[in-house]
Amino acid sequence: QIPIIIVGNDLHVRYASDAAKVLLSKRFTDSERKITDTMLALQVPDLKDRILHVVDSLQTTEHEFQDDDGYWRLLRIQPMRKADKTIDGAVLIIVDIDAQRNVKARLREEENKGQRLFDTAHGIIVIIGSDQRVGLINRKGCELLGCDEHDIVGRNWFDTFVPEARRAEARGIFAQLMAQEIQTDASRVIPVLAAGGNEKILLWHNSVLADETGAPVAMLSSGQ
């Protein structure tokens, strides 16, 4: 059921599984036919160069392509060694990845949708890692702080964006949440330091982000 093709150093097909014959050509019967004369060469235009590169470099390569019906396939080409270790051509294996690729496309679409919602939120949204550094901030947050994203992400949130008079309090709330000493955090008013040292008063809601084991890894804070 797996399309497998063996070609010699001269690119002639020595063997093709039944599944491979369907992909190569519906009329493929000639075992001496060159791989470059088959349907696969039309679907993978640089097929000859890829095979010769594998034979010459002894490095396995992979390439995604679409067949005539629009289905996505993964072509894996690996060198074929004889018993005496000499290279005697290449083995081509074709794997159906259409379903997998479609799932990835849908995941990307959901991620993009989530990013759009994240960036269009009316308030600031910031993710602070267990090391107290900013891992992610939305567009509104950058605007409110008057800083570019690259000037915020990676900085210690409390040292950089919380007024000194309120840092101990803010750090205490963070520590309690990360230690799971409090399950939820009521809304709190804590100011932030924007560009130029300007303070802005925000009402915050905090929650903990956990990994698959349930261990806290970051705090998600939204403020208005």
Side-chain angles (χ1 to χ4, degrees):
Q1 300 300 317
I2 301 175
I4 300 175
I5 308 159
I6 297 177
V7 298
N9 291 324
D10 58 0
L11 300 180
H12 278 87
V13 177
R14 295 180 180 172
Y15 167 81
S17 65
D18 290 341
K21 291 176 182 178
V22 174
L23 291 179
L24 292 173
S25 170
K26 292 187 166 98
R27 298 179 299 279
F28 185 85
T29 55
D30 186 358
S31 62
E32 293 302 317
R33 190 173 180 182
K34 275 194 171 185
I35 190 69
T36 49
D37 296 330
T38 67
M39 188 71 70
L40 186 61
L42 298 177
Q43 298 166 347
V44 186
D46 57 351
L47 180 62
K48 175 182 175 181
D49 293 337
R50 287 181 177 273
I51 295 174
L52 294 178
H53 173 73
V54 167
V55 171
D56 183 56
S57 67
L58 307 185
Q59 298 293 320
T60 297
T61 65
E62 294 183 345
H63 174 68
E64 294 182 3
F65 71 96
Q66 276 184 298
D67 62 19
D68 288 349
D69 296 322
Y71 290 100
W72 282 97
R73 314 279 184 179
L74 176 70
L75 171 64
R76 180 179 296 116
I77 309 174
Q78 58 193 56
M80 182 176 68
R81 293 179 175 85
K82 295 199 299 184
D84 61 3
K85 304 299 183 181
T86 58
I87 301 303
D88 193 32
V91 180
L92 284 65
I93 303 172
I94 302 171
V95 181
D96 185 350
I97 60 169
D98 195 70
Q100 175 186 351
R101 193 179 173 98
N102 286 336
V103 167
K104 287 182 177 178
R106 287 197 295 271
L107 285 174
R108 282 196 299 271
E109 171 103 12
E110 290 302 317
E111 287 173 358
N112 291 336
K113 187 186 298 181
Q115 187 65 46
R116 288 194 296 271
L117 290 172
F118 186 70
D119 280 335
T120 56
H122 293 300
I124 177 175
I125 300 176
V126 61
I127 295 178
I128 305 168
S130 57
D131 59 358
Q132 302 185 6
R133 297 185 181 277
V134 179
L136 195 67
I137 189 166
N138 67 342
R139 187 176 302 148
K140 185 66 176 179
C142 295
E143 294 173 358
L144 188 143
L145 294 174
C147 302
D148 292 331
E149 183 180 3
H150 66 266
D151 292 325
I152 301 174
V153 173
R155 304 288 296 275
N156 185 293
W157 173 259
F158 303 100
D159 289 342
T160 312
F161 302 107
V162 178
E164 185 175 1
R166 304 295 297 274
R167 283 175 195 164
E169 177 188 354
R171 275 200 171 98
I173 295 169
F174 177 80
Q176 286 182 301
L177 281 167
M178 297 302 289
Q180 296 182 301
E181 294 175 358
I182 51 177
Q183 296 299 317
T184 59
D185 182 42
S187 58
R188 297 171 185 267
V189 175
I190 295 180
V192 294
L193 275 176
N198 295 322
E199 292 190 14
K200 298 188 177 181
I201 308 300
L202 296 180
L203 178 66
W204 291 97
H205 296 271
N206 302 312
S207 59
V208 172
L209 300 178
D211 62 17
E212 61 276 5
T213 68
V217 294
M219 182 172 75
L220 172 66
S221 299
S222 61
Q224 292 190 352

